[in-house]
Amino acid sequence: MATDLPGGLTPRSTTRGRPRTTGSVQCARCGRSAGKARVTWPEGKICGPCFTVATRTHGTCPDCKQHRLLPGPPAKDGGPRCAPCAGILHNFHCARCKHEGEFYRRGICARCALRDDLTALLLTNPADPTTANRLIDVLCQADRPESIITWKRSAKVQTLLTSVASGQTPMTHEGLDSHRETAGRAADHLRALLVHHGLLPHQDPYLSRFEAWIDDKLRPLAAEVAKPVEHFAKWHHLRRIRAAVTPDKPAQRPVHSAKQEITETIKFLDWLWNTHQRTAASCTQQDVDTWLTTGPTTRKAIRTFFVFAKKTGTNMRVEIGHYAAKSRPALPQEQRLAWLKELLTGTSESVPYRVAGVLLLLYAQPLVRVAGLRIDAVSINDTTGAIKISFGTHPIPVPQPFTELLKQHLRNRPNLRTASDRDSQWLFPGIRAGQHLHPNTIMDRLRVLGLDLLGARNAALDDHLSVTPPPLVADALGYSYQVSFLHADAAGDAWSRYVDRRTEP
């Protein structure tokens, strides 16, 4: 494996937390200087960050064998101790719920403080006390209630919650949609929590936002442009996506593709009307050819509109063939290996995005598919500790050292304390309850890191096709046979001549 760093690498800081302030007080645990000590324990003065870590560490005390808060020094043999065994005289029990931890407000924990705030906000004049109490219970179930306290400080969030509790806004999808203009993100976050806890029926978030997106796109258009676009968007894309979407098959991928085709269609028809005063029905082949040859390759997305126009009889004259890319980027093998080494052993990015990058570089998985992986796609052998992962028809082995990195990610998946709970089925949980991490988030992080996403996927697929027949690669990695053979031909692979033969006994 190459020893040099991969080309274009732009590492980011993976150290969490705010920088420590300088001062004259030296922490007895971390040894760093601080402006002031948070507490003084038997070992000496303790800074704020070390105090926070200590008051959030729970486990079994090695001395008294009780499962409780372990604020004692972590450097002793056997691990940190509970407060009495460590000689810490402070009582960490919440005065109300008796949970051990850091006090958030006047002797009570953050969860009890959150319940007090929500009770004052939502139970002052509730239209239905039962509904308001259910909403309070849902918000208080967060594993890290401090995140909900921060979230509800927003005036928009308080207005939304008060409106729901008072009955002015029904606790339904339609009711939350009415706040899309004033508090769209807050409404979507609340919707995700309610769906995750079973208080609202499932609704695909991408589909609902796509419907609103279509209306926003149509609003400023001229009637001659808006009418065919609306017909195309709602009768071709929206109807097809509605029929295909299920709780296990979200609409993110088809919605993303549909948005690009609709956007490019709007650009073309708007240019056609403003330049030549022609509509989709009167458009000529020369108009389309001029548009395609005088702009970027993204204009090829109007092909779907004219296929639809021909089926509906709107325009029978225009023909647009399939687009064939003139180039096929692929990372050189030494660069691919350098990137694999960096993501497996380096510290240039946090663990979740390193895992996603390895899945791209090792198994040629599109990041849209990576984001939607569930934890049941990963199987661990209890005896040997070996891991297999499923992308297609059968699981395939995970080699070392990726096995250890993947296990580390499974033990510490992100976003399980503020949105989804520990039972989340997503391999990459998102910041909204019950949803996975958005693919664009992963793409942006890896692009900023310096990785060529398309080149990495092509290089990984070429590597598999160089040693394995295309049908087997397709079955293992979740590709279609057609795509596998196209990549094999583009790579000049001898397997393009592969023929399956039955061997005589």
Side-chain angles (χ1 to χ4, degrees):
M1 185 173 287
T3 57
D4 295 334
L5 293 175
L9 174 66
T10 307
R12 57 183 288 128
S13 174
T14 56
T15 303
R16 299 187 63 182
R18 297 177 180 174
R20 296 173 186 263
T21 57
T22 58
S24 58
V25 177
Q26 186 176 24
C27 177
R29 292 201 173 179
C30 66
R32 298 190 182 184
S33 298
K36 63 179 180 178
R38 179 68 182 272
V39 292
T40 300
W41 285 343
E43 66 213 84
K45 298 183 183 295
I46 307 298
C47 68
C50 289
F51 175 81
T52 300
V53 172
T55 52
R56 294 180 182 178
T57 302
H58 291 78
T60 302
C61 177
D63 288 352
C64 65
K65 308 303 181 185
Q66 296 185 34
H67 187 86
R68 56 185 303 180
L69 181 71
L70 306 177
K76 288 186 177 181
D77 295 338
R81 268 72 174 165
C82 65
C85 293
I88 299 175
L89 301 180
H90 184 78
N91 181 12
F92 293 96
H93 289 87
C94 173
R96 188 174 304 166
C97 68
K98 306 305 179 184
H99 173 77
E100 275 192 298
E102 181 181 4
F103 293 158
Y104 188 85
R105 181 188 303 155
R106 295 186 298 276
I108 62 175
C109 65
R111 196 176 308 279
C112 291
L114 173 62
R115 186 171 289 276
D116 286 349
D117 293 348
L118 291 175
T119 300
L121 181 65
L122 303 181
L123 290 181
T124 303
N125 293 302
D128 182 1
T130 302
T131 300
N133 276 301
R134 290 172 68 192
L135 182 57
I136 291 173
D137 290 338
V138 164
L139 295 174
C140 288
Q141 285 183 30
D143 191 45
R144 187 173 176 273
E146 295 90 342
S147 65
I148 303 297
I149 292 176
T150 302
W151 176 68
K152 73 168 185 59
R153 287 174 183 162
S154 166
K156 292 182 179 180
V157 173
Q158 293 185 18
T159 301
L160 172 64
L161 294 177
T162 304
S163 179
V164 171
S166 65
Q168 182 179 353
T169 298
M171 201 165 72
T172 61
H173 287 295
E174 292 74 15
L176 295 177
D177 286 340
S178 66
H179 290 267
R180 191 180 299 277
E181 296 295 329
T182 57
R185 296 186 66 179
D188 286 341
H189 185 67
L190 180 60
R191 186 202 314 271
L193 287 170
L194 295 175
V195 170
H196 182 65
H197 291 282
L199 297 185
L200 281 181
H202 175 268
Q203 182 188 71
D204 191 285
Y206 301 104
L207 181 58
S208 60
R209 290 197 291 267
F210 180 51
E211 294 172 352
W213 180 87
I214 292 175
D215 293 336
D216 291 341
K217 281 288 187 179
L218 294 175
R219 196 172 294 117
L221 299 179
E224 293 80 4
V225 177
K227 185 175 180 180
V229 171
E230 181 179 17
H231 196 202
F232 174 56
K234 295 184 175 180
W235 285 95
H236 175 70
H237 284 300
L238 189 56
R239 183 175 63 171
R240 175 177 54 86
I241 295 173
R242 279 175 178 166
V245 68
T246 65
D248 293 329
K249 188 179 179 182
Q252 193 274 333
R253 294 174 68 181
V255 163
H256 179 80
S257 176
K259 281 184 175 181
Q260 185 178 35
E261 293 180 355
I262 294 169
T263 300
E264 293 301 325
T265 299
I266 290 174
K267 291 178 182 178
F268 170 70
L269 294 180
D270 194 51
W271 168 82
L272 186 66
W273 175 250
N274 291 328
T275 305
H276 302 291
Q277 286 72 52
R278 285 196 285 270
T279 63
S282 58
C283 174
T284 66
Q285 184 70 45
Q286 184 179 357
D287 294 330
V288 172
D289 292 342
T290 301
W291 176 257
L292 293 177
T293 56
T294 57
T297 57
T298 52
R299 292 183 175 184
K300 69 182 185 298
I302 66 172
R303 180 181 183 276
T304 305
F305 170 76
F306 281 102
V307 171
F308 174 74
K310 191 170 185 178
K311 288 181 179 179
T312 56
T314 303
N315 190 312
M316 307 291 290
R317 300 181 299 277
V318 174
E319 295 285 346
I320 303 179
H322 288 281
Y323 174 78
K326 297 180 180 179
S327 61
R328 183 177 179 274
L331 279 181
Q333 184 67 355
E334 62 273 11
Q335 279 296 304
R336 175 173 172 251
L337 296 178
W339 273 108
L340 277 171
K341 180 181 179 181
E342 175 61 30
L343 295 178
L344 289 170
T345 62
T347 59
S348 57
E349 185 51 274
S350 56
V351 172
Y353 299 100
R354 287 165 58 195
V355 170
V358 173
L359 291 174
L360 169 69
L361 285 158
L362 198 59
Y363 299 107
Q365 292 301 298
L367 293 179
V368 171
R369 191 185 301 166
V370 168
L373 285 174
R374 295 178 176 269
I375 57 174
D376 57 12
V378 180
S379 58
I380 303 177
N381 188 303
D382 295 333
T383 304
T384 64
I387 294 183
K388 290 187 176 181
I389 188 167
S390 299
F391 304 112
T393 59
H394 58 271
I396 53 180
V398 175
Q400 287 284 11
F402 186 37
T403 296
E404 295 304 321
L405 184 66
L406 189 54
K407 287 181 179 179
Q408 181 183 350
H409 171 66
L410 289 170
R411 290 192 299 265
N412 300 284
R413 287 181 295 158
N415 302 321
L416 296 182
R417 302 196 64 201
T418 59
S420 301
D421 53 32
R422 298 286 176 180
D423 296 329
S424 173
Q425 296 302 303
W426 300 113
L427 185 60
F428 298 93
I431 59 174
R432 288 191 177 141
Q435 300 178 22
H436 60 70
L437 200 62
H438 199 285
N440 289 354
T441 302
I442 303 177
M443 293 178 190
D444 291 343
R445 288 286 284 265
L446 293 180
R447 282 197 185 105
V448 171
L449 191 62
L451 181 59
D452 177 3
L453 305 183
L454 182 56
R457 183 158 64 95
N458 286 338
L461 198 52
D462 290 349
D463 189 42
H464 286 288
L465 290 168
S466 67
V467 295
T468 308
L472 301 184
V473 172
D475 290 340
L477 302 184
Y479 283 87
S480 68
Y481 289 173
Q482 180 184 16
V483 169
S484 295
F485 274 106
L486 286 174
H487 276 272
D489 289 338
D493 208 317
W495 284 117
S496 61
R497 301 186 298 274
Y498 171 80
V499 177
D500 186 18
R501 296 180 179 178
R502 177 176 295 176
T503 304
E504 294 294 335

